[in-house]
């Protein structure tokens, strides 16, 4: 695991194939691609890149904020993950993306849940999308209960734009 507290700037691309945690600003102007491993955005930001692409077995995790559009998709049946929180990834968190989010074919949204009475707040995971949220019917919702779940409605995402699509696949 590489932890980066400094700011990064420049015109190059960032390709993540290992595990990196960002606590500074990832302010490059090229593409950001997570194709294997995990890119976790902690107290830092990811704003200048034109697109964050998570593919193959990559994972975008953290709390943000992320100001770039995010596209999560995999050419395999499943594999590209969007996950709220930092290490340990068993702690519920809120991830904020100040742009559009697309959960494409083969993507997985991993959501940790505890109780139906609380939206986010470190009790349940919450994805905050300040933009449009698009969900491909071949995307997967992975529900990761941290205790026995109670009946009720669980809010896993909010959005300020439009919602297109819905999950048709979920685990467990």
């Amino acid at each position: 695991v590489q932890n980066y507290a400094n700011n990064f700037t420049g015109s190059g691309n960032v390709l993540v194939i290992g595990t990196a945690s960002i606590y500074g600003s990832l302010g490059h102007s090229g593409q950001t691609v997570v194709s294997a491993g995990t890119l976790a955005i902690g107290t830092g930001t990811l704003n200048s890149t034109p697109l964050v692409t998570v593919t193959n077995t990559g994972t975008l995790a953290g709390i943000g904020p992320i100001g770039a559009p995010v596209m999560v998709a995999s050419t395999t049946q499943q594999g590209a993950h969007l996950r709220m929180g930092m290490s340990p990834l068993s702690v519920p968190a809120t991830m904020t993306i100040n742009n559009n989010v697309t959960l494409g074919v083969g993507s997985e949204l991993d959501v940790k849940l505890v109780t139906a009475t609380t939206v986010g707040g470190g009790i349940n995971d919450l994805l905050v999308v300040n933009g449009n949220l698009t969900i491909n019917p071949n995307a997967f919702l992975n529900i990761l209960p941290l205790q026995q779940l109670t009946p009720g409605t669980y809010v896993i995402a909010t959005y300020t734009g439009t919602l297109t699509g819905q999950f048709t696949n979920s685990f467990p």
Side-chain angles (χ1 to χ4, degrees), residues 66-127:
I66 299 170
V70 174
M71 170 62 159
V72 185
S74 180
T75 56
T76 61
Q77 178 64 22
Q78 295 169 253
H81 291 260
L82 182 59
R83 181 176 295 154
M84 283 64 75
M86 297 296 289
S87 183
L89 291 173
S90 60
V91 176
T94 297
M95 175 187 273
T96 302
I97 300 175
N98 295 318
N99 212 310
N100 300 326
V101 173
T102 301
L103 299 171
V105 173
S107 67
E108 300 184 44
L109 178 63
D110 302 330
V111 180
K112 300 174 291 293
L113 299 174
V114 175
T115 179
T117 59
T118 304
V119 176
I123 304 298
N124 295 311
D125 275 348
L126 178 64
L127 175 62

Side-chain angles (χ1 to χ4, degrees), residues 6 68 70 79 92-93 121-122 127 134 140 168:
N6 295 327
V70 174
L127 175 62
T134 302
F140 290 80
T168 57

